[in-house]
Amino acid sequence: MKEVTFVLPAYNEEESIGNVLEDINLTYPKSKVIVVDNNSTDNTASIAENAGALLISEKKQGKGHAVKKGFQHVKSKFAIMIDADNTYYPREAGKLLIKLKNDEADVVLGSRLNGIRKKGAITPVNLFGNYILSLTASLLFSNISDVCTGYWAFKKEVIDYLLKEGINSDGFELEAEMFSVISKKGFKILEIPINYGTRVDSPKLNSVNDGWKIFKTLLVCKLQPTKSNYYSISILYDRFKRV
């Protein structure tokens, strides 16, 4: 697992991040672990350091900023993005990674909706919202059952492409943006059913506000050209003006 880096964005997760890091260290002792502390006011940072993770600070608040900072430090062939709240289980990363190693996919998502969820892990309101958002993403881009999942496995070239195109999200719309950009580029995406647990404290996601942001992100990404396409269009336009 030397060729794998785990990226964990973290904000005030002192009650859970220790268990996540312990699971990673026990299951994948040779992998690299990056924890991006996003202005935590508790002991998240010290717990991460004591567990042997590479601790990076991101002052711009929001999951999107934290993940982008973490991606900038990925040097390995593969990377796993996983939340630090202990709702996702690192020991399941192997199921996602095997698809990348066998060249069956460029990106693999862990689907909570196709997997087994602990009782109360997702509220009925959030579950309904996720179905609607995933249906929207499927209609606009490609079939997906859980566009809001926080469990992703990437090939390095996909991360490089995301950084080149630019990650503009600052909050929980991050996953929708990444899925949209990756789909438009034509990277092969697979989903694997995963188990999903409950948080030890209240969820940080706001069902209405964040749901609306995710929906808008999907629409904007559908209409907005990628940087590479925009560059090609600009070249053609310049040539046309000179004719």
Side-chain angles (χ1 to χ4, degrees):
M1 294 292 288
K2 289 182 179 179
E3 57 193 356
V4 178
T5 299
F6 284 82
V7 177
L8 284 73
Y11 173 66
N12 288 345
E13 298 289 2
E14 66 176 2
E15 296 186 45
S16 56
I17 193 171
N19 292 330
V20 179
L21 295 175
E22 181 181 13
D23 200 353
I24 294 174
N25 291 335
L26 288 174
T27 312
Y28 313 105
K30 295 183 180 180
S31 64
K32 184 176 182 179
V33 183
I34 297 174
V35 172
V36 186
D37 179 48
N38 200 200
N39 302 309
S40 296
T41 56
D42 61 6
N43 294 315
T44 295
S46 60
I47 293 172
E49 281 192 308
N50 291 335
L54 171 63
L55 181 66
I56 300 171
S57 177
E58 173 52 64
K59 297 302 181 183
K60 293 181 181 178
Q61 196 66 43
K63 184 178 181 180
H65 296 304
V67 168
K68 180 179 179 180
K69 176 64 72 70
F71 281 176
Q72 291 170 347
H73 289 78
V74 171
K75 306 299 180 186
S76 57
K77 187 175 182 181
F78 307 110
I80 297 286
M81 185 189 83
I82 185 171
D83 290 346
D85 60 5
N86 205 30
T87 55
Y88 300 97
Y89 305 118
R91 58 183 175 271
E92 294 193 287
K95 298 193 300 184
L96 282 66
L97 287 167
I98 193 64
K99 300 298 182 180
L100 301 182
K101 292 182 177 181
N102 291 340
D103 284 328
E104 296 178 52
D106 302 306
V107 182
V108 183
L109 283 66
S111 173
R112 302 165 297 172
L113 274 63
N114 287 341
I116 299 174
R117 303 183 298 275
K118 282 189 176 181
K119 185 177 181 179
I122 304 179
T123 66
V125 171
N126 286 347
L127 187 61
F128 176 74
N130 202 343
Y131 276 125
I132 296 300
L133 293 171
S134 296
L135 175 61
T136 302
S138 297
L139 293 173
L140 294 177
F141 300 101
S142 59
N143 288 335
I144 186 77
S145 71
D146 188 8
V147 73
C148 298
T149 180
Y151 208 157
W152 293 56
F154 305 85
K155 287 183 178 179
K156 178 65 162 56
E157 53 263 38
V158 178
I159 287 179
D160 291 340
Y161 181 76
L162 286 170
L163 291 174
K164 183 187 74 170
E165 287 295 313
I167 295 175
N168 301 308
S169 300
D170 57 9
F172 292 106
E173 67 274 19
L174 166 72
E175 286 84 0
E177 181 188 3
M178 292 196 302
F179 176 76
S180 303
V181 172
I182 290 169
S183 297
K184 288 175 74 172
K185 177 61 176 176
F187 286 114
K188 187 173 182 181
I189 303 172
L190 288 181
E191 283 188 291
I192 299 294
I194 58 168
N195 296 297
Y196 188 64
T198 55
R199 283 185 60 92
V200 296
D201 55 5
S202 300
K204 295 184 172 74
L205 181 140
N206 182 292
S207 301
V208 177
N209 292 339
D210 289 316
W212 175 239
K213 288 181 181 178
I214 293 168
F215 181 76
K216 287 194 298 182
T217 296
L218 290 169
L219 293 180
V220 169
C221 288
K222 179 63 177 180
L223 299 174
Q224 181 177 331
T226 62
K227 281 187 178 180
S228 55
N229 286 342
Y230 180 80
Y231 180 69
S232 299
I233 293 171
S234 298
I235 292 176
L236 290 174
Y237 178 71
D238 289 340
R239 290 178 177 174
F240 178 78
K241 287 197 303 182
R242 290 195 292 267
V243 173

